[in-house]
Amino acid sequence: MNDSTPPEHNHHKRTGLVFYILMWLMLFGFAVYFFDRLIGIRYNPNAAPQSQLVGEQHEVVLRQSRNGHFVATGQVNGEDVVFLLDTGATDVVLGERTATAAGLARGAPSWAMTANGRIRVYDTRISTLSLGGIELRNVRASINPHMDDDVALLGMSFLGQLEWTQKGDTLTLRH
């Protein structure tokens, strides 16, 4: 027996296979994008916190993340930073890369007590820290060179200047 398949038929089979593979790659890419966004929203449901003016105060309402924390995106000197609100942290604490991107310089070294023990950090001041419509200036902060730069701690040097109320899975900040 002799294989008499016309060459154009083989070309069509290859073209069909290429399109089939491309379709699956696009479908996989869409699934990755969709689930990445879904996970991001569950981790940080406050990626773009909104504020409203209530009387003379700016009010920002944050939703609790799926793991029970309050996570929100704010700005340090105009740079986006993901914050974990931490009432146990004395200062706002940033990792080295985040601090550098925001134009913060290391100040005097000091010691801080963390869940992992005593560490050396560097004092600094944030010119402008904002969360939604709440903006504070000259906020005391620390640079922790050992900290993961994916998230910064929004400590009491910021939170202590606000009025805040938690009800269920929402936290309302006012200033």
Side-chain angles (χ1 to χ4, degrees):
M1 244 176 141
N2 162 357
D3 185 19
S4 62
T5 306
E8 63 272 357
H9 180 71
N10 287 336
H11 174 72
H12 290 306
K13 282 177 72 176
R14 269 184 289 209
T15 302
L17 179 62
V18 167
F19 279 114
Y20 181 75
I21 291 170
L22 285 174
M23 178 198 66
W24 278 107
L25 287 173
M26 287 176 29
L27 186 61
F28 179 72
F30 175 76
V32 167
Y33 173 79
F34 174 78
F35 286 110
D36 182 57
R37 298 233 345 129
L38 182 63
I39 289 168
I41 290 168
R42 287 183 175 184
Y43 171 73
N44 182 1
N46 307 294
Q50 302 297 310
S51 71
Q52 58 183 3
L53 201 55
V54 178
E56 302 263 330
Q57 293 185 314
H58 286 278
E59 181 179 275
V60 176
V61 178
L62 302 176
R63 291 189 335 244
Q64 199 171 38
S65 69
R66 189 160 182 110
N67 62 5
H69 298 290
F70 288 97
V71 177
T73 301
Q75 289 76 37
V76 171
N77 297 340
E79 292 291 320
D80 283 348
V81 175
V82 176
F83 287 108
L84 171 65
L85 280 68
D86 187 352
T87 58
T90 304
D91 290 337
V92 173
V93 183
L94 305 131
E96 188 84 43
R97 283 191 317 245
T98 302
T100 300
L104 301 176
R106 280 185 177 191
S110 61
W111 293 97
M113 219 34 205
T114 71
N116 293 324
R118 191 174 159 187
I119 60 165
R120 181 177 296 266
V121 296
Y122 298 89
D123 300 334
T124 193
R125 288 277 177 172
I126 297 171
S127 296
T128 306
L129 194 156
S130 58
L131 185 67
I134 297 172
E135 183 176 289
L136 298 180
R137 298 188 180 282
N138 196 29
V139 177
R140 192 179 65 240
S142 298
I143 299 170
N144 178 349
H146 309 288
M147 186 172 171
D148 182 8
D149 279 293
D150 290 342
V151 68
L153 301 179
L154 193 61
M156 292 305 289
S157 61
F158 180 83
L159 294 172
Q161 298 183 58
L162 309 179
E163 173 187 324
W164 37 282
T165 309
Q166 181 180 354
K167 287 185 181 175
D169 62 352
T170 63
L171 179 67
T172 303
L173 306 172
R174 288 184 196 89
H175 184 263

